[in-house]
Amino acid sequence: MSSSILRLAPVSTITGAFMFSLVATVLAAPQGSPAPDDLIIKNATVMTASHGTIQRGNVWIHKGKIAGVGSTVNAPAGATVVDGTGKYVTPGIIDPHSHSALGDDVNEATSPITPSMMMIDAFDNSDKALYQALAGGVTTELLLHGSANMIGGQAVVIKNKFGFSKDDMLFPNAPRSIKFASGENPKRVYGGRNQLPSTRMGNFEVMRQAFEDAKVYRKEWDDYDTKVAKGDKDVKVPHRDLKLEALADILRGKLYVQIHCYRADEFLTEEALAHEYGYKVRAFHHALEMYKVGDKIAKDDTAIATFADWWGFKDEAWDAIPWNAVMSMHEGVRVALKSDSNDQIRRLNQEAGKMIHYGGATEEEALRMITLNPAWIIGVEDRVGSIDTGKDADLVIWNVDPLSTYARAEKVYIDGDLFFDSSLKGLGTTHFNGVMHTGGFGGSDDGAADDEGGN
């Protein structure tokens, strides 16, 4: 590999923040070769996230899938062998709330209801945040719209195949998700402009009216489809409205609803609205007060994607406690940890480790919070999130126990292909060749860098 060249190019000052348009130029030839049909990781401590930890375990990968896992596996004699002695193997980390590679386009803050926005249109597959996440063991991300809107845009799910094309990074056939946001952010954004909504009352009125409009639109199209099915050749095609189409798809259950929400009272209000209009809340994100009402939310099988120990960064976070995740888990809530930060995404394994300290989670419970549980929130738990036969071979090899502060990812595989190897010279990338970008957005929810509603 040729040497890496770092260039910092200050371009402007925007809202008082010093921004960079070009963070790093990396001149390199791709180091990787085609993934072998068969690869076996031998003699490692295999933390499956689904059925315990296997000491001196083996993982056999065949054509990008996990073909065997256990103390012994029946890999073919010609399989490529990776010595895992003294190492730990986990599923790839999954971040269910990320804004990596969306830059300053994360919020369409021109209306409180923008469900037809598509985050795929903002996705920059050369963003350095993707590389940093990959080097931290993150293999799958749910890239969400920001939290300026009561109903924001539609998310994109990626596999972090850094160096591949935009299309090749998309998670195949992942369910559609959409971002809602309750509380301070929407009321601050629009209230600051003297627009509706400027209060929590206004927030929920805007939502209700949006769904009332969507019900009318859905009926028009359902009636049209019924007439067409009966052979009516004179029926008039209704007007197509992308905003109402997306809202109707929420009512039809075609979109997973992911809600930015902090306060216990608002969890209950959001669930009541979901019951009223017949859709399902997949997860509350942030959810810092879930420990107060976890038993009630668990009944609806709504998960949470929360921080380990962030506290006091805004009014809605004053009642946050670091025991929230484990307390909610014990109340029956499915709990995931998430980054919401281009910095924190690099060390989600350490955030999981905190769960053992705060509340006494077991190693497997803590690991599930960054693997299998976020996979469920995204709707891809049948393909990733644990080391089980038949699942995608998205795996990380760690130098020590991954829940330790001393842990670092040594090798990261996605679909059985090696995308990061810390032993390589330079950045350890195996497929990237070109320029890494940044749009200047820090990627953190409610961060100081974002005055239009956070994420």
Side-chain angles (χ1 to χ4, degrees), residues 200 261-271 284 287-294 296-297 316 319:
R200 281 181 165 79
C261 192
Y262 287 88
R263 286 184 5 184
D265 58 318
E266 291 194 289
F267 303 146
L268 301 179
T269 302
E270 287 281 12
E271 289 286 11
F284 288 114
L288 297 185
E289 293 187 15
M290 185 55 67
Y291 65 94
K292 299 179 180 181
V293 292
K296 296 179 176 63
I297 299 303
E316 293 169 315
D319 273 3

Side-chain angles (χ1 to χ4, degrees), residues 34-196:
D37 282 349
D38 290 283
L39 182 146
I40 180 169
I41 304 169
K42 300 189 69 172
N43 298 322
T45 300
V46 179
M47 303 173 74
T48 67
S50 59
H51 58 279
T53 296
I54 305 168
Q55 304 296 333
R56 294 185 62 80
N58 306 287
V59 182
W60 168 28
I61 300 168
H62 176 68
K63 293 186 176 179
K65 300 287 186 180
I66 298 170
V69 55
S71 299
T72 59
V73 295
N74 295 316
T80 299
V81 176
V82 175
D83 184 8
T85 304
K87 312 295 184 183
Y88 288 71
V89 180
T90 68
I93 293 174
I94 298 171
D95 190 345
H97 187 122
S98 172
H99 304 284
S100 296
L102 300 178
D104 294 319
D105 296 314
V106 70
N107 269 311
E108 180 58 46
T110 53
S111 166
I113 308 293
T114 59
S116 58
M117 299 299 113
M118 299 289 185
M119 302 320 294
I120 182 63
D121 295 330
F123 175 52
D124 178 2
N125 65 308
S126 294
D127 195 304
K128 68 162 185 154
L130 298 170
Y131 161 72
Q132 292 169 334
L134 178 67
V138 177
T139 54
T140 295
E141 299 180 45
L142 178 66
L143 305 182
L144 290 164
H145 187 274
S147 56
N149 307 334
M150 285 303 295
I151 302 178
Q154 297 180 42
V156 59
V157 185
I158 65 163
K159 286 208 173 193
N160 202 358
K161 297 180 176 181
F162 192 59
F164 275 23
S165 71
K166 188 173 179 177
D167 288 344
D168 287 337
M169 291 185 73
L170 302 182
F171 197 119
N173 302 312
R176 297 160 63 198
S177 280
I178 192 163
K179 176 76 173 292
F180 288 16
S182 295
E184 296 297 324
N185 285 11
K187 58 180 275 197
R188 181 179 76 246
V189 170
Y190 300 100
R193 304 173 190 169
N194 200 29
Q195 294 177 222
L196 180 72

